[in-house]
Amino acid sequence: MAGPLDDSDTRSAVQAVLGAEHAAIWSAGLATAYLPADEQTALADAALAHRERRDALVALCETAGVPPAPSAAAYATPRPVTDAASAAALLAVAEDDTAVGWRAVLERTDDAELRRTGVAAVVSAASVGVRWRGLAGMQPLVASFPGTR
């Protein structure tokens, strides 16, 4: 029986989205220092969702005998993070990056569980991204087609 990571294209997409999930978790850690207290619960919830997806991807890789992509010590930000608006903009980019990564997985797998996770991740990125875009003063608040650039 074929596993969800038997195809090299799927394996590459899973490794790429794992990297995006690592970066989203790191971004949440940075943003926590700049977001106001009333945004901390939303940030914690979003970070937890990214950690859960990251952990599921790591487990998937390990089960398939594929070494999971490691987290970097730090990640480059698109612009300096100096206040709540720039922290929220960073979080919006992180959500966009994970949506793009999960969409790539969806395009490359027929595995039902991986597809369920991917669809949920793209929907989550789109809805959570609205909050961060609003806080950052970004327009539009929602991408027309989440997971595309």
Side-chain angles (χ1 to χ4, degrees):
M1 179 157 90
L5 297 185
D6 288 347
D7 176 79
S8 66
D9 286 343
T10 303
R11 234 182 351 265
S12 294
V14 165
Q15 293 285 20
V17 78
L18 177 55
E21 292 289 3
H22 284 312
I25 294 163
W26 181 88
S27 296
L30 175 60
T32 194
Y34 295 95
L35 293 182
D38 61 340
E39 296 294 340
Q40 294 297 324
T41 299
L43 178 59
D45 291 346
L48 176 62
H50 287 292
R51 281 192 300 275
E52 287 172 348
R53 287 192 296 268
R54 180 221 35 214
D55 293 349
L57 289 166
V58 167
L60 176 66
C61 288
E62 289 173 345
T63 299
V66 175
S71 177
Y75 294 86
T77 60
R79 66 180 201 198
V81 177
T82 58
D83 57 15
S86 59
L90 172 63
L91 294 171
V93 168
E95 294 299 336
D96 289 346
D97 289 349
T98 59
V100 167
W102 279 107
R103 181 165 184 245
V105 170
L106 289 168
E107 292 171 346
R108 290 165 177 80
T109 188
D110 292 328
D111 182 76
E113 185 60 30
L114 194 52
R115 290 185 65 77
R116 271 191 291 280
T117 302
V119 168
V122 171
V123 169
S124 174
S127 60
V128 171
V130 168
R131 177 182 211 101
W132 305 136
R133 279 186 180 75
L135 186 60
M138 298 167 69
Q139 291 293 326
L141 290 179
V142 180
S144 298
F145 297 101
T148 62
R149 296 231 190 232

